[in-house]
Amino acid sequence: VWNLSLNSAGMCVRFRSDATVLQAHWVLRSKTIAMNHMPATGVSGLDLYTRGTDGKWRWVAVARPEGQENTVSLVSGLPPGEREFMLYLPLYNGVSAVEIGLPPESRLGLPPPRPEARRRPVVFYGTSITQGGCASRPGMVHTAILGRWLDAPVLNLGFSGNGKMEAALAELLAELDAAIYVLDCLPNMTAEQVTERVEPFVRIL
């Protein structure tokens, strides 16, 4: 569980810029950039979205890793004007560094804060399905999709093969100021574990 917690599933960075060209440089914690059943773009890639004039998030580009350290051109030829971006980090790998490259004359800033009513996170706790297996891109795990639909922060606490509702995890989750908890552990649990753990876990929360 600790090793899986070092994966960056669900993490994203929001920023504003008027750049018409964007590059990315990132260093992965693990040399294993893909799996037999999941592509490198989902396991170890970056995924860029931008907010349209209608307020909806739209996909822009995916950064495909070639090794443990990567530099790629995300997008070029964007129309002039400032816009908000969101960059999702890898689902089944961790990062020790992430950098965004912009032309030197471009502006970079913070996006406006979310409305007060949507600042508390939706907290997902679950299995490999929650973590993102086997999404083709980091922005396509269902927790990320929901975050864009709701325009709210989402915490992805998916632990591949290890979402088993131990009481220690409930104590940690209870430290969060969540808007709501979504518990999705059944695929990792036996009937006996469900009987033994679900009610105590919920009572702790």
Side-chain angles (χ1 to χ4, degrees), residues 48-205:
L48 182 68
Y49 283 74
T50 190
R51 193 191 294 273
T53 55
D54 59 359
K56 295 181 179 179
W57 289 102
R58 288 181 167 77
W59 180 72
V60 177
V62 64
R64 179 179 298 137
E66 299 293 339
Q68 196 165 3
E69 185 167 354
N70 302 274
T71 301
V72 302
S73 175
L74 280 168
V75 65
S76 60
L78 289 173
E82 190 171 87
R83 54 185 60 83
E84 184 177 349
F85 294 96
M86 183 156 51
L87 184 71
Y88 291 96
L89 304 186
L91 295 172
Y92 269 79
N93 208 328
V95 292
S96 58
V98 179
E99 297 173 284
I100 304 296
L102 310 172
E105 69 277 7
S106 300
R107 294 191 301 273
L108 177 67
L110 296 172
R114 291 185 172 98
E116 187 71 35
R118 291 203 303 273
R119 291 183 190 173
R120 295 167 66 203
V122 178
V123 177
F124 277 82
Y125 168 55
T127 68
S128 58
I129 300 164
T130 300
Q131 183 169 341
C134 295
S136 59
R137 298 185 278 106
M140 289 306 291
V141 58
H142 65 281
T143 57
I145 294 171
L146 184 68
R148 292 194 299 276
W149 282 354
L150 297 176
D151 196 21
V154 174
L155 296 186
N156 181 324
L157 299 177
F159 298 97
S160 186
N162 287 275
K164 298 183 178 181
M165 288 197 177
E166 298 94 341
L169 266 294
E171 298 285 357
L172 288 171
L173 265 64
E175 294 180 9
L176 300 169
D177 183 20
I180 189 170
Y181 292 99
V182 182
L183 307 178
D184 190 16
C185 294
L186 292 185
N188 285 172
M189 299 176 69
T190 64
E192 292 75 18
Q193 287 173 331
V194 169
T195 301
E196 173 190 333
R197 298 180 182 182
V198 171
E199 183 177 343
F201 194 98
V202 172
R203 287 190 181 279
I204 291 170
L205 290 181

